[in-house]
């Protein structure tokens, strides 16, 4: 197998493999699509799971707020506490009323246990006292002795207790407390839950950080995640982390939250080069918004192993599929390659045969023209077959032969000479050029017989309308030839001479026109390059019986072609007895030659 066939085999194999691979690719795309649907569904389930857990935790937080609200209503409904709040001094009625109020607050011990609080007390701003179920103390003493808070932040803490804007929000006591964990302070004004006027006391719930964490214990924070809670004014209420506080600053968290406002419930954002998933829920109780931040990598960790398994299976399936396709393609293509090789051999043989037939057809074509022009037709059946083969239309037409000889003009000496001095390639080129010019000049239906290729001599079988007289036909062909002569002389190094034989209706006698044209061209000159046989001067005393005539007559007699012999004898009679005046001695010599 040569290199071309090998390359063709490879190309065909690649196309064959590609056609099958399209199916594998389609299946792979469908698999990828189904994988994407599965991943998206799994992600959606994880989002829903986080949302449900967060929703439950927020519900627990709202229930705690409602319980604290219920407790606040009961406290605000107690007459002793309201009386204490209105007192402006600690004179005699103050302490008995405080004792009764403390006994009243003791009854709420079970309620305290179920709330996420470590303690609660009532701040009495008119007397500057703090009241609870277990103590009654001045505010400054309570700050220093009971809580052991940092004294430098006392005014800040006291300002929060007296500020209505601090109500219903978490006040972080981390800066005040000397302990690592400190409670959030949640202030509830007594005035909100009583019909009494000018009530400025505050119920102060200390939200225990551990109990608060337990409310959100089920949240999947994945170590680096956290819960960030803001109030209805977008200010931080509190945050919960798993093991370490978030690496983000408060300002960055606020920016991230602001950017996710257009994406409710779920969103995925890049937070300081880490992709975070954010699940948000707004409380129906106090309109606080809870933002659950989770590292995407950890949330979808279970999906990563699934992704690796799927990728491994997909890549393995693709490799195996392509190997199977390659093996099966080679196996299935083997018969095709064999058939193609046989077909190529057959096509080569066919092409060779076609070329041989073409050459033979050309030889047969030229042979039929030669037999027709030279008179080697033995019967009418043969004539009809050759006429059909050469596509000659004999209806209402007369035929004549134009014998043209082309002489090569030397560009250096400007002398006319034979074309033998030209190379074979040049001779063939000029020969084909002249044949083309003959057809353009005399018509594309003419037949050209190459009488002598080396000397560029041609016999042209030309058909004319039978209504055209010999004189008109002669003038027509003379004009065509002279135009051709001018064109050839101008464009090619040749000079043409032409002889025209008499016309014949019967193609079996066209050989006479051929002989006459050959005789006429011998009389052509540079001044008269076109010579019709009819106009030749024939008054000389010698008889007309050239060697070609003797050979032709011998051929006709040998083949038994009686009709052609009779026509030949009529031609000899016409040429010698009618066209010429022969002496008796010349006639005897003519008869002797014929005999």
């Amino acid at each position: 197998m040569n290199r071309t066939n090998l390359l063709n085999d490879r190309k065909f194999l690649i196309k064959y493999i590609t056609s099958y691979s399209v199916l594998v690719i389609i299946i792979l795309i469908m698999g990828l699509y189904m994988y994407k649907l599965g991943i998206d569904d799994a992600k959606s389930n994880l989002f829903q799971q986080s949302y449900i857990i967060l929703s439950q935790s927020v519900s627990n937080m709202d229930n705690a707020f409602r319980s604290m609200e219920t407790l606040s209503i009961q406290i605000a409904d107690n007459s002793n506490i309201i009386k204490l709040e209105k007192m402006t001094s600690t004179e005699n009625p103050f302490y008995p009323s405080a004792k009764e109020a403390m006994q009243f607050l003791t009854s709420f011990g079970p309620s305290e246990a179920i709330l996420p609080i470590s303690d609660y007390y009532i701040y009495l701003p008119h007397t500057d006292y703090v009241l609870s179920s277990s103590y009654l103390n001045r505010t400054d003493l309570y700050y220093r002795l009971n809580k052991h808070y940092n004294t430098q932040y006392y005014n800040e803490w006291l300002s929060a207790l007296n500020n209505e804007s601090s109500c219903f929000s978490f006040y972080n006591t981390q800066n005040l407390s000397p302990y690592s964990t400190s409670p959030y302070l949640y202030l509830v004004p007594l005035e909100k839950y009583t019909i009494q006027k000018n009530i400025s006391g505050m119920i102060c719930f200390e939200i225990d950080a551990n109990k608060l964490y337990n409310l959100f214990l089920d949240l999947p924070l994945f170590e680096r995640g956290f819960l960030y809670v803001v109030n209805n004014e977008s200010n931080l209420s509190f945050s919960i982390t798993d093991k370490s506080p978030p690496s983000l600053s408060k300002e960055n968290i606020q920016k991230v939250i602001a950017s996710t406002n257009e994406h409710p419930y779920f969103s995925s954002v890049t937070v300081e080069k880490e992709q975070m998933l954010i699940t948000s829920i707004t409380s129906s109780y106090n309109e606080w918004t809870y933002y659950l931040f989770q590292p995407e990598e950890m949330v979808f960790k279970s999906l990563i192993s699934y992704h690796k398994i799927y990728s491994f299976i997909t890549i393995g399936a693709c490799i195996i599929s392509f190997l199977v396709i390659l093996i099966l393609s080679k196996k299935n293509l083997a018969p095709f390659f064999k058939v193609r090789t046989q077909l190529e051999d057959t096509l080569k043989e066919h092409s060779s045969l076609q070329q041989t037939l073409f050459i033979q057809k050309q030889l047969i074509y030229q042979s039929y023209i030669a037999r027709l022009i030279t008179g080697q037709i033995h019967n009418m059946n043969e004539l009809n077959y050759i006429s059909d083969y050469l596509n000659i239309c004999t209806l209402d037409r007369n035929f004549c032969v134009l014998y043209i000889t082309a002489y090569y003009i030397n560009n250096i000496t400007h002398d006319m000479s034979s074309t033998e001095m030209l190379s074979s390639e040049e001779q063939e080129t000029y020969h084909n050029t002249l044949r083309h010019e003959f057809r353009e000049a005399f018509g594309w239906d003419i037949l050209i017989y190459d009488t002598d290729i080396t000397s560029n001599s041609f016999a042209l079988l030309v058909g004319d309308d039978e209504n055209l007289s010999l004189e008109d036909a002669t003038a027509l062909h003379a004009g065509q030839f002279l135009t051709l002569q001018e064109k050839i002389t101008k464009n090619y190094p040749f000079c043409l001479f032409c002889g025209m034989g008499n016309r014949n209706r019967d193609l079996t006698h066209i050989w006479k026109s051929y002989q006459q044209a050959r005789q006429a061209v011998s009389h052509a000159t540079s001044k008269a390059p076109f010579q019709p046989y009819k106009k030749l001067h024939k008054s000389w005393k010698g008889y007309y019986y050239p060697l070609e005539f003797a050979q032709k007559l011998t051929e006709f007699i040998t083949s038994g072609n009686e009709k052609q012999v009779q026509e030949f004898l009529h031609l000899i009679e016409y040429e010698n007895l009618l066209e010429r005046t022969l002496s008796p001695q010349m006639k005897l010599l003519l008869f002797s030659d014929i005999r």
Side-chain angles (χ1 to χ4, degrees):
M1 184 180 295
N2 56 34
R3 183 177 180 84
T4 302
N5 288 339
L6 184 60
L7 291 175
N8 291 334
D9 289 349
R10 288 179 178 174
K11 291 180 180 178
F12 191 63
L13 179 61
I14 291 173
K15 291 181 180 179
Y16 198 78
I17 292 174
T18 302
S19 61
Y20 278 107
S21 299
V22 170
L23 298 176
V24 177
I25 293 173
I26 292 175
I27 295 173
L28 180 61
I29 292 174
M30 294 177 62
L32 290 174
Y33 179 72
M34 296 302 295
Y35 168 75
K36 184 179 182 302
L37 290 180
I39 289 294
D40 291 344
D41 184 63
K43 288 183 177 180
S44 178
N45 291 336
L46 291 173
F47 278 128
Q48 292 291 342
Q49 182 180 356
S50 298
Y51 182 81
I52 292 172
I53 296 174
L54 179 60
S55 178
Q56 183 62 42
S57 299
V58 172
S59 178
N60 294 337
M61 188 67 187
D62 289 345
N63 291 334
F65 280 126
R66 290 187 179 96
S67 296
M68 286 188 287
E69 182 180 24
T70 301
L71 180 59
S72 299
I73 293 173
Q74 292 175 351
I75 292 173
D77 192 49
N78 185 268
S79 59
N80 288 323
I81 293 178
I82 297 300
K83 184 167 53 174
L84 281 174
E85 200 284 328
K86 288 184 176 182
M87 291 181 181
T88 58
S89 67
T90 58
E91 295 179 355
N92 188 36
F94 178 78
Y95 291 102
S97 297
K99 183 179 180 181
E100 293 180 4
M102 292 176 65
Q103 291 177 352
F104 171 74
L105 294 177
T106 305
S107 63
F108 296 111
S111 299
E112 297 177 24
I114 62 175
L115 292 176
I117 61 176
S118 58
D119 192 10
Y120 75 96
Y121 52 88
I122 302 172
Y123 171 61
L124 306 173
H126 297 300
T127 57
D128 195 25
Y129 265 77
V130 171
L131 173 70
S132 75
S133 61
S134 57
Y135 50 80
L136 174 67
N137 209 345
R138 282 207 328 261
T139 304
D140 58 337
L141 295 177
Y142 172 81
Y143 182 86
R144 289 185 293 104
L145 300 178
N146 291 73
K147 291 300 179 182
H148 305 286
Y149 286 162
N150 193 335
T151 56
Q152 72 179 62
Y153 295 107
Y154 173 75
N155 290 331
E156 179 183 334
W157 173 78
L158 186 62
S159 176
L161 295 182
N162 288 280
N163 192 351
E164 291 185 0
S165 62
S166 302
C167 296
F168 301 108
S169 62
F170 279 9
Y171 178 76
N172 194 348
T173 61
Q174 182 67 48
N175 295 333
L176 314 179
S177 176
Y179 308 107
S180 59
T181 57
S182 60
Y184 291 98
L185 193 59
Y186 183 71
L187 304 179
V188 177
L190 285 172
E191 186 180 15
K192 181 175 177 61
Y193 302 108
T194 182
I195 60 175
Q196 299 291 332
K197 302 298 183 180
N198 299 322
I199 301 298
S200 57
M202 290 284 183
I203 303 175
C204 305
F205 294 97
E206 292 186 346
I207 308 298
D208 185 82
N210 293 325
K211 291 183 178 181
L212 183 63
Y213 178 83
N214 291 333
L215 289 177
F216 299 93
L217 186 62
D218 295 332
L219 290 180
L221 298 179
F222 300 103
E223 298 181 1
R224 298 195 301 273
F226 58 93
L227 179 68
Y228 195 86
V229 184
V230 297
N231 58 22
N232 51 5
E233 296 179 356
S234 298
N235 294 322
L236 174 65
S237 293
F238 66 94
S239 63
I240 294 177
T241 61
D242 189 3
K243 293 184 178 181
S244 59
S247 59
L248 303 174
S249 63
K250 181 179 178 180
E251 292 75 13
N252 289 336
I253 295 176
Q254 292 288 357
K255 289 180 181 178
V256 171
I257 290 175
S259 66
T260 59
N261 287 338
E262 299 178 358
H263 309 281
Y265 307 118
F266 308 114
S267 59
S268 176
V269 296
T270 302
V271 183
E272 294 186 357
K273 299 182 180 180
E274 183 175 10
Q275 200 70 18
M276 301 289 287
L277 300 178
I278 302 179
T279 307
S280 62
I281 294 178
T282 299
S283 170
S284 59
Y285 174 77
N286 54 10
E287 296 184 354
W288 286 11
T289 303
Y290 296 75
Y291 294 95
L292 175 61
F293 285 75
Q294 297 170 299
E296 184 173 336
E297 179 184 359
M298 301 300 293
V299 174
F300 298 142
K301 187 176 181 180
S302 60
L303 297 181
I304 294 176
S305 59
Y306 173 71
H307 173 74
K308 291 180 179 178
I309 294 174
Y310 179 84
S311 300
F312 177 77
I313 294 174
T314 302
I315 295 173
C318 290
I319 294 174
I320 294 173
S321 299
F322 284 118
L323 287 176
V324 171
I325 290 174
L326 179 61
I327 294 171
L328 292 180
S329 297
K330 286 186 176 181
K331 184 177 180 180
N332 294 335
L333 284 177
F336 289 97
F337 289 152
K338 185 176 181 180
V339 171
R340 191 189 67 179
T341 302
Q342 295 175 352
L343 180 61
E344 288 178 350
D345 294 339
T346 303
L347 290 176
K348 288 179 181 179
E349 294 176 359
H350 177 72
S351 177
S352 178
L353 180 60
Q354 286 288 94
Q355 187 176 4
T356 303
L357 290 176
F358 178 77
I359 296 173
Q360 292 179 352
K361 186 176 180 180
Q362 294 295 320
L363 294 176
I364 294 172
Y365 191 85
Q366 289 294 326
S367 175
Y368 283 171
I369 295 175
R371 291 182 63 184
L372 182 64
I373 290 179
T374 58
Q376 299 178 22
I377 306 298
H378 301 99
N379 52 62
M380 290 304 298
N381 291 334
E382 187 177 359
L383 175 63
N384 292 334
Y385 178 81
I386 291 177
S387 298
D388 291 339
Y389 186 86
L390 299 177
N391 197 24
I392 301 174
C393 179
T394 60
L395 184 63
D396 299 330
R397 301 190 79 188
N398 287 326
F399 296 91
C400 67
V401 175
L402 300 178
Y403 194 93
I404 300 177
T405 300
Y407 288 96
Y408 175 71
I409 301 176
N410 194 311
N411 292 329
I412 300 177
T413 62
H414 299 287
D415 295 333
M416 291 185 294
S417 60
S418 171
T419 58
E420 293 181 356
M421 63 181 298
L422 300 175
S423 65
S424 58
E425 293 181 358
E426 291 177 329
Q427 287 182 2
E428 183 178 0
T429 300
Y430 284 132
H431 185 80
N432 293 331
T433 300
L434 291 174
R435 289 172 65 89
H436 178 77
E437 296 294 340
F438 293 159
R439 295 186 188 280
E440 285 194 343
F442 297 102
W444 291 92
D445 59 342
I446 65 172
L447 298 178
I448 303 175
Y449 169 50
D450 303 333
T451 60
D452 191 351
I453 296 178
T454 58
S455 61
N456 278 331
S457 296
F458 307 88
L460 280 59
L461 180 61
V462 182
D464 302 318
D465 190 346
E466 66 174 0
N467 296 323
L468 194 66
S469 65
L470 178 60
E471 288 75 14
D472 292 339
T474 302
L476 173 63
H477 297 319
Q480 292 172 336
F481 174 77
L482 293 176
T483 302
L484 172 65
Q485 169 76 315
E486 182 180 359
K487 181 179 179 181
I488 293 296
T489 305
K490 182 179 179 180
N491 298 319
Y492 305 101
F494 282 99
C495 181
L496 304 182
F497 296 95
C498 178
M500 175 180 173
N502 292 337
R503 299 196 303 169
N504 291 274
R505 180 176 178 78
D506 191 350
L507 285 175
T508 58
H509 301 153
I510 200 65
W511 58 269
K512 295 190 297 182
S513 181
Y514 171 67
Q515 294 293 340
Q516 292 167 350
R518 290 190 63 178
Q519 183 178 350
V521 76
S522 63
H523 294 276
T525 63
S526 57
K527 293 184 180 181
F530 182 83
Q531 284 293 336
Y533 180 79
K534 191 68 177 179
K535 295 183 179 181
L536 291 182
H537 182 66
K538 305 172 185 176
S539 60
W540 57 81
K541 303 301 181 181
Y543 62 86
Y544 178 69
Y545 188 66
L547 179 60
E548 292 85 351
F549 272 33
Q551 294 174 347
K552 185 63 67 179
L553 179 58
T554 302
E555 182 181 336
F556 289 156
I557 294 173
T558 303
S559 62
N561 194 337
E562 181 180 352
K563 184 179 179 180
Q564 290 284 38
V565 172
Q566 291 177 356
E567 185 64 28
F568 191 82
L569 293 176
H570 287 316
L571 177 60
I572 295 175
E573 177 186 9
Y574 174 80
E575 290 289 341
N576 292 284
L577 302 182
L578 298 179
E579 289 290 319
R580 292 171 175 80
T581 302
L582 301 179
S583 63
Q585 185 66 29
M586 289 292 106
K587 291 179 181 180
L588 290 175
L589 292 175
L590 173 61
F591 294 151
S592 176
D593 284 346
I594 294 174
R595 181 170 56 87

